[in-house]
């Protein structure tokens, strides 16, 4: 996809399986929104092949669109309609909508059903956005940075909503800046930087984290000790065995491995702030 002279994404190749939560990560300007908009049929690509639910989004018709739910970065709520009214209005656009009360429950807005959208908190508005995307009972949902600006507890509550979508068998295409979000929710993760895919895998095996050196920290005799090891069990066994023999404690003993965020920062470091 090019915007004039700017090649926003090039040669990217990805596949999303039915029923999975797929996380698409990348720094600002990496090309996430461009890619998602192409998949949603909002943006016409300059080249390449795309198939979503078996059709080319650029040519797909109404029936295809009814199978897709979209939560954009900025919401589209009518501030003066209540939660129930907003969902009711949307339900009217679809041939077989999900029951409104069920959607309210699914997004955790039971206590706010009669509240106007403008009186909801940011997190609650976002949930209503998701409810709107769900009302047509789509097979596939696009969530573009759904928890940006949330406080930690609102973010966790929202994760429950997304986990609920997975339980319903929906396919979720999620873009996010939050590694922990990808770690918690995604079956598979793909990282894009400066328009190209730089890594893909499950959150666990991305960047081969399982096989990278672990770091052991502890305090002994008043000093900090830090050891890197690729044979963690053996090293720990020796360390703790010797400490027990000496009758000493290994204060503050802790084992750490590179986090998904460490891997992400390393992989995207060279891309700069792709302005
Ligand atoms: P963010 O995390 O900031 O939302 P993103 O990964 O979604 O970023 P995109 O919005 O896809 O990134 O942008 C990718 C590149 O394409 C950027 O360099 C951006 O400046 C450029 N770009 C995006 N939209 C347009 C447009 N309508 N016209 C021209 N250039 C654009």
């Amino acid at each position: 996809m090019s915007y004039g002279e700017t090649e926003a994404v090039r040669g990217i190749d990805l596949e999303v399986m039915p029923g999975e939560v797929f996380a698409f990560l990348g720094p600002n300007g990496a090309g996430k929104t461009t890619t998602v908009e192409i998949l949603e049929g909002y943006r016409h690509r300059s080249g390449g092949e795309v198939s979503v639910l078996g059709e080319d989004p650029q040519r797909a018709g109404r029936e295809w669109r009814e199978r897709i739910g979209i939560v954009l970065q900025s919401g589209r709520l009518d501030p003066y309609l209540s939660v129930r009214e907003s969902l009711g209005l949307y339900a009217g656009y679809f041939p077989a909508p999900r029951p409104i009360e069920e959607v309210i429950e699914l997004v955790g807005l039971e206590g706010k059903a009669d509240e106007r959208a403008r009186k909801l908190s940011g997190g609650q508005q976002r949930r209503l956005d998701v409810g709107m995307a769900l009302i047509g009972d789509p097979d596939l949902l696009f969530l573009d940075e759904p928890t940006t600006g949330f406080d930690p507890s609102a973010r966790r509550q929202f994760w429950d909503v997304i986990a609920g979508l997975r339980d319903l068998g929906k396919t979720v295409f999620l873009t996010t800046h939050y590694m922990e979000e990808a770690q918690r929710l995604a079956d598979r993760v793909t990282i894009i930087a400066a328009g190209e895919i730089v890594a893909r895998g499950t959150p666990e095996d991305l960047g081969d984290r399982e096989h990278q050196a672990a770091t052991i920290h502890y305090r002994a005799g008043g000093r900090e000790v830090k050891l890197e090891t690729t044979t963690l069990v053996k090293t720990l066994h020796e360390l703790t065995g010797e400490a027990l023999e000496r009758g000493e404690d290994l204060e503050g003993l802790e084992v750490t491995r590179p986090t998904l965020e460490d891997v992400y920062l390393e992989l995207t470091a060279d891309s700069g702030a792709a302005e």
Side-chain angles (χ1 to χ4, degrees), residues 3-275:
Y3 299 106
E5 296 282 283
T6 318
E7 259 195 324
V9 293
R10 65 191 145 273
I12 68 167
D13 190 4
L14 54 92
E15 202 171 20
V16 179
M17 303 300 166
E20 78 175 348
V21 177
F22 180 90
F24 199 41
L25 306 175
N28 290 136
K32 299 181 299 296
T33 303
T34 299
T35 306
V36 171
E37 286 179 352
I38 289 170
L39 299 178
E40 293 167 345
Y42 269 124
R43 199 169 275 293
H44 281 211
R45 62 191 182 271
S46 330
E49 283 171 38
V50 180
S51 169
V52 176
L53 300 176
E55 298 201 42
D56 182 341
Q58 226 155 280
R59 286 195 278 272
R62 182 181 174 141
E63 257 178 49
W64 178 87
R65 269 195 293 279
E66 282 167 356
R67 295 179 61 202
I68 286 180
I70 296 178
V71 180
L72 300 169
Q73 276 187 30
S74 53
R76 55 189 156 177
L77 303 175
D78 182 326
Y80 294 100
L81 292 184
S82 72
V83 168
R84 191 176 277 121
E85 287 165 347
S86 305
L87 292 170
L89 184 69
Y90 256 62
Y93 297 134
F94 293 93
R98 285 191 93 84
I100 291 167
E101 297 308 317
E102 189 191 299
V103 171
I104 290 175
E105 198 181 323
L106 205 61
V107 297
L109 285 175
E110 296 95 325
K112 298 283 174 186
D114 295 314
E115 194 76 86
R116 289 182 187 204
R118 70 191 179 100
K119 295 230 174 133
L120 300 175
S121 74
Q124 290 162 346
Q125 290 186 358
R126 215 75 182 107
R127 291 178 195 208
L128 179 52
D129 275 330
V130 175
M132 311 275 261
L134 272 177
I135 197 82
D137 201 20
D139 298 320
L140 168 62
L141 266 130
F142 289 99
L143 304 177
D144 199 3
E145 295 178 22
T147 64
T148 296
F150 281 25
D151 69 40
S153 88
R155 178 164 300 129
R156 268 154 211 269
Q157 286 169 21
F158 197 83
W159 291 349
D160 291 340
V161 174
I162 299 178
L165 299 180
R166 180 204 273 114
D167 294 343
L168 286 176
K170 306 293 179 198
T171 306
V172 178
F173 192 108
L174 169 77
T175 69
T176 181
H177 288 291
Y178 300 107
M179 296 311 116
E180 201 192 345
E181 187 159 297
Q183 176 101 52
R184 289 290 184 92
L185 293 173
D187 297 296
R188 287 188 309 133
V189 174
T190 288
I191 299 178
I192 183 172
E196 295 182 73
I197 288 175
V198 293
R200 60 180 99 219
T202 64
E204 291 73 35
D205 67 21
L206 203 77
D208 201 23
R209 281 191 298 141
E210 279 298 303
H211 299 106
Q212 288 193 22
T215 307
I216 302 171
H217 297 265
Y218 60 94
R219 283 187 299 277
R223 61 193 179 92
E224 295 282 333
V225 182
K226 185 173 152 188
L227 285 176
E228 291 216 342
T229 176
T230 50
T231 54
L232 180 61
V233 173
K234 182 166 172 283
T235 310
L236 268 183
H237 183 80
E238 287 167 5
L239 267 179
T240 50
E242 286 165 16
L244 281 176
E245 269 173 30
R246 292 195 303 270
E248 284 174 17
D249 194 12
L250 297 176
E251 269 173 71
L253 177 64
E254 197 177 60
V255 176
T256 54
R257 288 185 188 276
T259 62
L260 186 57
E261 183 150 287
D262 294 331
V263 171
Y264 171 84
L265 288 173
E266 198 176 304
L267 287 167
T268 57
D270 298 338
S271 73
E275 243 79 79

